Amino acid sequence: MGDVDPWLRQEDESSQAYEAFAAYRDLGPEGRTLAETARAVGKSMGLMKRWSFTHGWVERARAYDQHIAGVTTETYAEMVRKVTAQQSALTDKLFTRLDRNLDLMPEGTNPPKAWTDAFAAAARARTTLLDYNKPDAPKNTELAEKISSILDKLGVEE
């Protein structure tokens, strides 16, 4: 197939054949059929079969699916790493600050409610972080994105 990624137009492929392949490829693994491709591009089923065979559509589409799955997994993993690092840094900072302030309090004095609330929030965040990173834990991208957004607003860096 040459040096070009298999899901891109190949050297020996006409623009019409590539347009049809792109339509086939973009139908996704569940809906990808030659009949649906023929309908989508307004060409005959016979032509779709010929182009598919000549240009290796099945293998190229499979390579594309694997590429997209890898990119998606890599992107998600990077987001989780970033959120984990940011949340860990924030809770470390909060625990350090609370610990330092507690050491400065006179003996027998109760800490302000804001401190205990902050400690409880940091402890919950740390527990959530530890639970989230267990191998069998369900991953919630919406939660991860929300945490990342809040940490970004707070200016917490990796």
Side-chain angles (χ1 to χ4, degrees):
M1 278 188 217
D3 295 335
V4 179
D5 287 327
W7 53 87
L8 300 176
R9 184 174 173 195
Q10 303 301 298
E11 291 176 19
D12 63 341
E13 189 171 34
S14 71
S15 60
Q16 285 186 326
Y18 176 70
E19 180 183 323
F21 167 71
Y24 174 80
R25 177 197 66 203
D26 294 347
L27 287 171
E30 301 301 317
R32 190 178 288 142
T33 65
L34 294 179
E36 184 59 29
T37 304
R39 190 195 63 69
V41 298
K43 302 286 184 188
S44 73
M45 182 68 163
L47 183 59
M48 294 303 98
K49 285 180 182 179
R50 189 168 67 244
W51 281 347
S52 175
F53 177 77
T54 302
H55 299 293
W57 285 9
V58 173
E59 297 81 17
R60 291 170 65 194
R62 187 176 301 123
Y64 177 76
D65 294 341
Q66 290 172 343
H67 169 73
I68 293 301
V71 168
T72 301
T73 301
E74 192 175 301
T75 301
Y76 180 76
E78 180 56 34
M79 180 183 69
V80 168
R81 280 191 294 274
K82 180 180 178 186
V83 168
T84 299
Q86 288 175 327
Q87 189 180 31
S88 184
L90 181 62
T91 56
D92 285 348
K93 185 185 257 185
L94 188 53
F95 284 139
T96 299
R97 189 175 233 173
L98 287 170
D99 189 39
R100 192 173 42 238
N101 286 333
L102 287 169
D103 287 343
L104 297 175
M105 284 185 61
E107 195 71 31
T109 305
N110 289 329
K113 182 168 177 5
W115 291 12
T116 57
D117 289 348
F119 177 79
R124 277 192 310 275
R126 180 54 55 96
T127 301
T128 300
L129 176 66
L130 294 173
D131 287 344
Y132 189 83
N133 285 303
K134 287 180 183 172
D136 60 342
K139 304 303 185 215
N140 181 337
T141 56
E142 186 178 324
L143 174 62
E145 288 169 359
K146 185 180 278 189
I147 291 169
S148 179
S149 172
I150 291 168
L151 291 170
D152 286 342
K153 287 178 186 174
L154 291 172
V156 177
E157 296 293 326
E158 284 186 62

